[in-house]
Amino acid sequence: MNYGWIVLILITLIEACSGFGRTSSLSPYVKDLCIDLDLTRSQLSGAYTLANLFAGFLLPFIGKFYDKCTTPNFLRMHITIFGGAFFTLSMLPFLHFGSFGNFLAFLLCFACVRSSVHAYGVVGHSMIATWFAKKRGFATGITCLVLSTIASAMPWINLQLHQFFRWQHVWLTVAICWFCFVFPLCGFIKKPKHAVTTSKKGTHFELNSIKQFLRQPIFWLILVALFFRAAQNTGIAFHL
């Protein structure tokens, strides 16, 4: 098997399993979260909405940061953020922050979770672009199949977990698994050698191109579209 396929499978599985931070996976725990954190459904949904929107607007900066560091280090950082956020969330009932403190902590932690989920997506798309110059369509199709299959199962998995475990235990387990099993995989996920940029002149030209793009109306139109897309898809499952 080509090493590119191994890289793609690993990052796709990481991105898919990060579905514990998505709306549909959070929904089974909403009632218990409201009781344990002294929050209403509207407050919980509002905190998640703000976190998701904030993470969405961070995407350009996440992508820019990815260009400046190695893929393993980029993933290690976001895996630490992802696992640390879930660990903090699992500890909230024992920290006794009060209603407003829990609201802020939930917002900040899920902003970290959602940012990390986006970061995994950035790496996945980058791996397809760099490893599969001649088979990008096929690689994208395989990736989407795996992601959609696991994403479809995530709500059912979380519903079954909810019947046997408290949300604190589930999220604590997610954090532990992320540190113990996902973190060591980062060293295997690398860009191919031909994708490494060494030309300072090329980098300078790229930066100028980015600055020109930021001045274009299409950039802000894309941001507005992302805003409404995130607003439409966030919090809906909380009220089903």
Side-chain angles (χ1 to χ4, degrees), residues 95-106:
L95 298 177
H96 306 293
F97 282 152
S99 178
F100 184 69
N102 287 332
F103 175 85
L104 289 179
F106 188 90

Side-chain angles (χ1 to χ4, degrees), residues 73-183:
N73 288 339
F74 179 83
L75 281 173
R76 289 186 186 107
M77 184 188 74
H78 285 285
I79 285 171
T80 301
I81 292 173
F82 187 91
F86 269 114
F87 178 81
T88 303
L89 285 167
S90 68
M91 295 293 110
L92 284 183
F94 310 104
L95 298 177
H96 306 293
F97 282 152
S99 178
F100 184 69
N102 287 332
F103 175 85
L104 289 179
F106 188 90
L107 192 160
L108 292 174
C109 286
F110 259 95
C112 292
V113 168
R114 296 299 302 160
S115 298
S116 297
V117 172
H118 291 325
Y120 305 144
V122 168
V123 176
H125 286 82
S126 176
M127 291 300 104
I128 291 175
T130 54
W131 278 103
F132 298 90
K134 298 181 180 179
K135 296 182 179 180
R136 288 176 185 170
F138 180 66
T140 301
I142 294 295
T143 301
C144 291
L145 173 62
V146 175
L147 288 175
S148 60
T149 301
I150 297 179
S152 299
M154 273 293 174
W156 180 84
I157 292 172
N158 280 273
L159 184 60
Q160 300 307 310
L161 290 173
H162 174 256
Q163 295 178 4
F164 299 99
F165 306 100
R166 299 286 297 173
W167 62 270
Q168 302 98 310
H169 302 148
V170 174
W171 287 355
L172 179 60
T173 303
V174 170
I176 293 173
C177 288
W178 229 249
F179 288 124
C180 294
F181 301 108
V182 180
F183 194 89

Side-chain angles (χ1 to χ4, degrees), residues 175-201:
I176 293 173
C177 288
W178 229 249
F179 288 124
C180 294
F181 301 108
V182 180
F183 194 89
L185 296 177
C186 297
F188 298 97
I189 303 174
K190 300 177 182 179
K191 300 177 185 177
K193 294 181 180 180
H194 63 77
V196 178
T197 303
T198 57
S199 172
K200 293 184 178 180
K201 183 177 179 181

Side-chain angles (χ1 to χ4, degrees), residues 13-36:
L13 290 177
I14 292 174
E15 185 180 356
C17 293
S18 68
F20 283 100
R22 298 184 185 276
T23 310
S24 57
S25 298
L26 181 61
S27 296
Y29 310 112
V30 168
K31 184 177 180 180
D32 292 337
L33 282 166
C34 291
I35 295 173
D36 294 339

Side-chain angles (χ1 to χ4, degrees), residues 54-65 115 117-119 121-122 226:
F54 176 75
F57 280 110
L58 280 181
L59 264 170
F61 303 99
I62 292 173
K64 185 176 180 180
F65 179 71
S115 298
V117 172
H118 291 325
V122 168
L226 286 173

